[in-house]
Amino acid sequence: MDERKNIWQSRFYTVPRVYMSLVGIWPYHRFRYRCFLFVPMFTFSITILIPQLKTCLKTIEDDWLSLNTDVERNILQRHTAYGRYITLTYGIFMQFVGILLISKSVVIMLLEDTSDATVSSLVAEAKLPLRVEYGEMLNQYLYPMAVHCYLAVFSHISITIAVDSCYIALIRHACGMFAIVGHTLEHIGKDSNDNFDLKPDKVKDDNYNKTLGCLRKHLHVIQFAELIESTFTNIFLVSVCLNMIGGSMIGIQVVLNLNDAKDIVEPFAIYIAQLIHLFLQFWPAQFLLDYSILPYESICRSNWYYTSRRCRKLLFLIMNRSLLPCKITAGKIVPLTIENFGRVLKTMMSYFTMLRSFK
């Protein structure tokens, strides 16, 4: 036992040991001590997200209440309905993966005899959906430990669905608001003709008033997109890094179990779920990037030449701001786009090839 402790007390593991102890996840500490450290660290790190998310949701409420026409409501409803379809499909699939993992474990436990005291811990661990280390206690309390693993699977999947569905809903709302701004700008000058007044009175200049409203709404949506970025950027940095490494390791398990139909189901389902989870971080961000330049394209399609000079100045401001599209990044480093998603997949394959060479 002393030799085992000396291994982790060596200078080679100083950094992970110190920081894992600091956040309360060092498994060799007493349970009470781990809880004493973990609870406040977890509370401080998670609760800061609640005010940010509440601000995002409050913005959505205000935007819905600010819509004045049925056309605007229909545009926003169309975009949110598309987001609902994505999140519903994603939620069903992820819950199916969780049920599959739990069902496989339950079936194995029912079909194979676990009452024999000579069953090794390795064999017992193979019956669980997660690889855990309970030592000799696993043989004695296999079923309670199995319930613990089942609840952990359900919790992990539920948290993943909650975060991803919230992210997708926020992105689709931002895209809908950009679409509303673009729709209004595209119809600027449509009711004018060659006899329009180049310097009308500001009160009577309908095109100017509409454009001014679009400018304010455009800046508001940009601020909302920046709020989404600040809320999720650090989460996505951790998620992308872990998925690249984890996806490569799960891919190795899939390859190693190609000839065993029973053992390939679990890693293959997890591998597909990881890819979809990663894809749904990049794909909505690509939508936001594309829709953020929609006001620029809408102005180009409008009859801007039938508007007053003051209106054209506002249109120029909107076009100038639209040249800098809104982006969601991973840690302010990597923009989440479909192109970068392809690069992440290539990186995962590189890790996969490297790990496979060690086999």
Side-chain angles (χ1 to χ4, degrees):
M1 181 62 68
D2 292 337
E3 294 180 358
R4 290 179 177 271
K5 290 183 178 180
N6 291 334
I7 293 175
W8 297 114
Q9 294 298 325
S10 66
R11 61 185 178 86
F12 302 108
Y13 301 103
T14 300
V15 174
R17 186 187 74 251
V18 170
Y19 280 93
M20 290 177 69
S21 300
L22 180 63
V23 299
I25 60 174
W26 186 248
Y28 294 101
H29 283 160
R30 292 184 177 180
F31 179 75
R32 182 181 301 177
Y33 182 75
R34 295 202 306 267
C35 291
F36 178 76
L37 293 173
F38 177 78
V39 171
M41 293 293 289
F42 179 82
T43 302
F44 293 143
S45 62
I46 296 299
T47 52
I48 194 63
L49 294 175
I50 297 177
Q52 292 179 303
L53 290 175
K54 187 175 181 180
T55 303
C56 293
L57 299 179
K58 184 65 167 56
T59 302
I60 291 179
E61 295 175 4
D62 295 338
D63 289 342
W64 275 103
L65 296 175
S66 67
L67 301 180
N68 299 320
T69 64
D70 291 336
V71 175
E72 293 179 346
R73 295 188 186 91
N74 290 334
I75 292 175
L76 191 54
Q77 286 176 0
R78 185 171 67 251
H79 282 81
T80 52
Y82 187 68
R84 176 183 177 274
Y85 172 77
I86 296 175
T87 53
L88 183 61
T89 305
Y90 174 66
I92 293 175
F93 173 77
M94 294 296 288
Q95 291 290 0
F96 172 76
V97 172
I99 293 173
L100 181 65
L101 297 178
I102 294 175
S103 300
K104 175 180 177 290
S105 173
V106 171
V107 170
I108 293 177
M109 292 180 67
L110 292 177
L111 294 181
E112 298 184 11
D113 184 18
T114 59
S115 59
D116 189 357
T118 61
V119 176
S120 65
S121 297
L122 184 62
V123 174
E125 289 176 10
K127 302 176 184 297
L128 302 178
L130 301 174
R131 292 295 180 262
V132 294
E133 175 56 51
Y134 287 110
E136 296 300 327
M137 294 178 58
L138 186 60
N139 295 330
Q140 303 175 7
Y141 305 103
L142 177 60
Y143 293 106
M145 300 303 181
V147 173
H148 181 207
C149 287
Y150 300 156
L151 293 176
V153 170
F154 176 77
S155 299
H156 292 167
I157 291 178
S158 298
I159 292 173
T160 301
I161 295 174
V163 175
D164 289 347
S165 61
C166 179
Y167 165 67
I168 293 172
L170 295 175
I171 292 293
R172 293 308 306 178
H173 179 81
C175 292
M177 294 303 296
F178 275 122
I180 290 174
V181 173
H183 176 269
T184 305
L185 290 173
E186 189 171 348
H187 289 79
I188 292 293
K190 294 293 185 180
D191 298 331
S192 305
N193 51 40
D194 296 336
N195 298 324
F196 75 99
D197 188 359
L198 191 60
K199 296 182 179 180
D201 185 81
K202 184 181 291 187
V203 178
K204 298 180 181 180
D205 193 349
D206 293 335
N207 289 325
Y208 171 79
N209 293 326
K210 290 180 181 179
T211 305
L212 181 60
C214 288
L215 176 61
R216 293 170 177 168
K217 191 172 293 184
H218 186 233
L219 294 175
H220 170 73
V221 182
I222 291 175
Q223 291 178 351
F224 179 62
E226 292 174 348
L227 180 59
I228 299 175
E229 152 74 4
S230 64
T231 303
F232 289 92
T233 180
N234 293 327
I235 298 175
F236 288 157
L237 176 62
V238 176
S239 177
V240 170
C241 293
L242 291 180
N243 275 282
M244 283 194 300
I245 299 174
S248 302
M249 298 177 67
I250 294 296
I252 291 293
Q253 294 185 28
V254 172
V255 173
L256 294 177
N257 294 291
L258 285 177
N259 297 326
D260 193 337
K262 182 185 68 173
D263 293 334
I264 198 177
V265 173
E266 180 179 341
F268 183 74
I270 296 176
Y271 184 71
I272 296 300
Q274 277 188 321
L275 287 181
I276 294 177
H277 168 65
L278 191 63
F279 177 71
L280 287 182
Q281 293 177 355
F282 285 80
W283 187 39
Q286 181 68 56
F287 270 107
L288 180 63
L289 189 148
D290 295 338
Y291 272 89
S292 63
I293 62 175
L294 184 62
Y296 182 97
E297 299 173 350
S298 299
I299 293 174
C300 294
R301 291 193 295 265
S302 68
N303 293 346
W304 57 268
Y305 40 82
Y306 284 152
T307 61
S308 62
R309 290 181 178 177
R310 66 170 68 94
C311 181
R312 295 179 189 179
K313 292 180 180 179
L314 295 182
L315 293 174
F316 177 76
L317 290 175
I318 296 175
M319 294 179 71
N320 186 53
R321 182 57 184 85
S322 298
L323 292 176
L324 184 62
C326 298
K327 297 179 181 179
I328 305 296
T329 64
K332 306 288 185 181
I333 301 173
V334 180
L336 301 184
T337 63
I338 293 298
E339 181 180 359
N340 285 333
F341 175 72
R343 293 174 180 171
V344 169
L345 290 183
K346 291 181 180 178
T347 305
M348 290 176 61
M349 292 303 299
S350 299
Y351 291 153
F352 171 79
T353 304
M354 180 186 67
L355 292 173
R356 190 179 181 185
S357 65
F358 296 152
K359 183 178 67 171

